[in-house]
Amino acid sequence: MDRQVDLVIIGAGPAGMAAALYASRAGLKTLMIDSSAPGGKLLKTYMVENYPGVPAVPGPDLAIAMYQQSVSFGAEYMYGEVEKITKEKQVQLKDGTLINAKAVLIGTGAKERQLNIPGEQDAIGHGESFCAVCDGAFFRNKEVVVIGGGDSALEEAQFLTRFASKVTIVIRRNEFRASDKAQKEVYENDKIHVIKRHVPKEILLTDGKVSGIVLENVEDHMEITVPCQGVFPFIGHIPETSFAKDLGILDENGYIVTNDKMATAIPGIYAAGDCKAKELRQIVTAAADGVVASTEAFHFITGI
Ligand SMILES: Cc1cc2nc3c(=O)[nH]c(=O)nc-3n(C[C@H](O)[C@H](O)[C@H](O)COP(=O)(O)OP(=O)(O)OC[C@H]3O[C@@H](n4cnc5c(N)ncnc54)[C@H](O)[C@@H]3O)c2cc1C
């Protein structure tokens, strides 16, 4: 079934939901499409403490509040995976649905980077997970390993101590990249153990389930094996932009290039949030991008 709308927003994360709020409130016929439940990464975040005006809130609760507000002025949410966008602003879904829009806003975020080591493909879903909030409860009284030293890794490690008997954080460098607050909490938590100057080499499985991880010392290349039932990599992201690869709007890392009005090189196609090339990928910056992009789309569509 073909559809015609003013603005189609791809992705219902913070960027897409903020954009839908502004566009529909300005009177645009707005359709927001997501291949998952609305909320984006908020659904995977245990606690958000840095969204202005909201002291501390579980990510899924903030997702529900944002979603309800985003559709309260008439924007529509639709489930579907976008497979292709054309320069003529036609959006094609995997199930064959075509949506013709006057403007397109891409807010598809980024997916978790995998370790790319032996054993990983068998381990995913059998002990390896990229979401502590989603899967942490499966690791009650078990030992888990977290890979990565940024804020997300330390927050997730902290969350996992609610269930796991021991959480080992592995970092390549000698220090964390995370905030002082996150580091302090980690060092004060008796359940967390830190292994520095090591990188993952192989995930070991026994009877089809994760049973350990081999780590290599980056200096002397000696290997150690850490027994564990869970592995949680938090080592960065890859932008979700493959459907836009033929448009010529991606940088060498796959992020969408825009100007400061969130406009790509193609008139009427905008990008907002984690999928675009920028410095700081946070909820508040994604929402702000979405608002700027939808306001520009409004000007483009109405000529005002
Ligand atoms: C574990 C974790 C904790 C975090 N904690 C914080 C925090 O405390 N504070 C903070 O400010 N930030 C935090 N962040 C970062 C923050 O969540 C992101 O910067 C923000 O969610 C980006 O919003 P977005 O809308 O750009 O993308 P996302 O939230 O990633 O949403 C993108 C949406 O697009 C959809 N999508 C992707 N591809 C397609 C497709 N082809 N078709 C249809 N839909 C598609 C996805 O399903 C998803 O719903 C955290 C991130 C993680 C992973």
Side-chain angles (χ1 to χ4, degrees), residues 33-304:
I33 304 171
D34 201 300
S35 53
S36 184
K41 293 277 188 301
L42 294 182
L43 299 175
K44 299 181 171 182
T45 305
Y46 168 51
M47 194 63 73
V48 178
E49 294 182 329
N50 57 2
Y51 194 70
V54 185
V57 60
D61 289 2
L62 184 58
I64 290 169
M66 273 196 192
Y67 173 66
Q68 287 173 341
Q69 193 183 18
S70 75
V71 293
S72 64
F73 291 95
E76 188 190 338
Y77 162 79
M78 177 180 168
Y79 175 80
E81 184 175 344
V82 170
E83 211 166 46
K84 196 174 173 204
I85 306 175
T86 68
K87 287 187 179 173
E88 293 72 33
K89 294 173 277 295
Q90 186 178 67
V91 174
Q92 187 181 319
L93 305 195
K94 205 170 181 184
D95 67 6
T97 303
L98 291 178
I99 294 143
N100 296 295
K102 294 174 186 163
V104 177
L105 196 160
I106 305 170
T108 44
K111 65 179 172 210
E112 293 78 10
R113 191 177 289 280
Q114 298 187 1
L115 297 170
N116 282 324
I117 56 174
E120 179 163 54
Q121 291 313 314
D122 293 327
I124 292 172
H126 300 277
E128 180 172 354
S129 165
F130 299 87
C131 179
V133 175
C134 320
D135 298 332
F138 294 121
F139 296 88
R140 205 173 288 278
N141 300 321
K142 296 186 171 156
E143 299 192 5
V144 303
V145 168
V146 167
I147 315 287
D151 278 307
S152 294
L154 269 55
E155 281 164 22
E156 301 298 296
Q158 190 75 13
F159 177 75
L160 284 166
T161 61
R162 292 161 64 99
F163 309 101
S165 54
K166 181 179 175 187
V167 177
T168 302
I169 303 178
V170 178
I171 55 173
R172 172 195 293 268
R173 302 195 301 176
N174 225 357
E175 70 261 0
F176 291 112
R177 285 179 289 110
S179 67
D180 290 348
K181 178 176 179 285
Q183 293 192 40
K184 187 166 176 284
E185 285 172 359
V186 157
Y187 284 123
E188 283 173 0
N189 191 323
D190 292 341
K191 277 189 172 180
I192 299 182
H193 175 70
V194 181
I195 299 180
K196 298 178 176 174
R197 308 292 288 152
H198 279 74
V199 291
K201 288 295 282 186
E202 182 177 0
I203 297 179
L204 306 175
L205 292 103
T206 305
D207 297 331
K209 291 186 176 160
V210 169
S211 57
I213 185 162
V214 180
L215 306 174
E216 184 188 76
N217 187 309
V218 293
E219 279 154 8
D220 61 18
H221 304 289
M222 294 282 284
E223 291 187 355
I224 56 171
T225 297
V226 179
C228 62
Q229 291 78 51
V231 174
F232 288 79
F234 298 106
I235 54 166
H237 292 87
I238 300 169
E240 291 270 23
T241 55
S242 56
F243 53 83
K245 66 178 187 312
D246 297 336
L247 294 176
I249 57 173
L250 307 184
D251 71 9
E252 65 279 10
N253 297 313
Y255 288 98
I256 300 172
V257 178
T258 71
N259 63 16
D260 59 4
K261 293 179 175 172
M262 310 302 145
T264 68
I266 302 172
I269 299 188
Y270 303 85
D274 285 9
C275 65
K276 71 174 230 81
K278 64 175 186 176
E279 283 296 320
L280 185 62
R281 294 192 172 84
Q282 289 280 279
I283 301 163
V284 67
T285 59
D289 290 350
V291 169
V292 173
S294 69
T295 305
E296 284 306 309
F298 174 81
H299 294 318
F300 176 79
I301 292 167
T302 62
I304 298 172

